Amino acid sequence: MIQRPLHRLGVLAFVGVFAGSLSGCFSLFPQNKPASLYSFGMAETAEAPINTAARGISLEPVDFPREAMGDGILTVEGAQTSYVAGARWAAPATVMFRQALDRAFDSAAPGAHLLNRGEAGPSAALLAIDVTRFEADYTDPKAPPTVRVTLRVRLGGADGSAIDATSYDVKKPAAANRVEAIVAAYDAATTEALTALARWVDEKAPPADPARLVPRSTSRSSSIKSTTTSTTTTRQP
């Protein structure tokens, strides 16, 4: 059921050379079936009123599992990892995760504002996020997977002092072993984890200094619509 890409590299390299040598004659392989693209963390949420006294929060580069960074929808079964066949994220998971984080702060943290790179304004705190799990776990091969989003979070002061640390481990079972159900579980788990994180930062960040206020922007996220593109994947739910 699972074919790990590393096991196939040698075979694919040989086939690629062989096919290239015959490309002037005819095509040995049919074109790949287009893959559907999906998104997570993009659900419409009610935004809090703009707070011009929001505290600026600097975000360190988010640490993401290497196998989950790209546009493949990661699944795990025991010691094996694979990606859902015929489906991909509409953008790299790291990009969509940051968009989801912005949306969580916009809707759940009225007193805090994530500073974008190059954005003017002083920082009241420094936020570090380590994503240790971002996967759909098949603990029972005969049952739908459970999506797991695990975060380790640290908040520090602008002077380098430590403020607090916490962690989140959100699990959402997919309603069925179908792509749409797995994506919905990813969306629910990500939204729950990031909403809790945003509220925690809003509570723990230092009080706003009137001399260090930064205006809070309106929604910075953009919708990513499902579409199709040609790709090759390795797992069929």
Side-chain angles (χ1 to χ4, degrees):
M1 181 166 56
I2 297 176
Q3 294 181 337
R4 300 182 66 181
L6 289 177
H7 295 168
R8 305 172 62 208
L9 288 180
V11 176
L12 290 177
F14 171 76
V15 171
V17 172
F18 180 62
S21 66
L22 297 178
S23 60
C25 301
F26 58 90
S27 175
L28 293 176
F29 307 104
Q31 293 182 351
N32 292 332
K33 181 180 179 180
S36 297
L37 301 187
Y38 296 89
S39 60
F40 63 85
M42 303 301 294
E44 292 297 330
T45 57
E47 293 185 3
I50 295 175
N51 179 8
T52 58
R55 293 154 291 175
I57 307 296
S58 296
L59 178 67
E60 290 188 351
V62 177
D63 191 4
F64 225 79
R66 182 175 180 180
E67 63 273 16
M69 293 176 66
D71 61 0
I73 302 177
L74 179 65
T75 69
V76 175
E77 185 174 352
Q80 294 181 310
T81 59
S82 61
Y83 302 97
V84 175
R88 288 190 177 273
W89 298 125
T94 50
V95 173
M96 297 180 65
F97 184 89
R98 175 54 200 269
Q99 292 177 333
L101 184 61
D102 282 335
R103 293 178 70 87
F105 270 79
D106 286 341
S107 63
H113 166 73
L114 279 184
L115 296 172
N116 289 314
R117 179 177 297 179
E119 183 176 352
S123 173
L126 179 63
L127 176 63
I129 303 174
D130 181 8
V131 183
T132 59
R133 288 179 181 269
F134 193 79
E135 62 197 36
D137 293 333
Y138 279 87
T139 55
D140 181 355
K142 297 181 180 180
T146 295
V147 170
R148 188 171 181 181
V149 176
T150 306
L151 314 176
R152 292 190 304 211
V153 187
R154 302 183 306 279
L155 190 66
D159 58 358
S161 60
I163 295 177
D164 205 349
T166 190
S167 61
Y168 302 94
D169 187 17
V170 179
K171 301 176 183 177
K172 294 292 182 181
N177 195 29
R178 302 194 312 271
V179 177
E180 292 78 7
I182 295 173
V183 168
Y186 263 104
D187 182 72
T190 302
T191 299
E192 181 175 320
L194 295 186
T195 298
L197 184 157
R199 289 172 177 164
W200 177 81
V201 171
D202 201 10
E203 176 187 348
K204 297 291 184 178
D209 181 344
R212 298 172 63 86
L213 300 182
V214 294
R216 184 177 181 184
S217 65
T218 56
S219 177
R220 294 157 293 176
S221 57
S222 58
S223 298
I224 299 179
K225 298 180 179 180
S226 295
T227 182
T228 57
T229 187
S230 180
T231 187
T232 301
T233 48
T234 58
R235 183 188 188 106
Q236 182 66 54

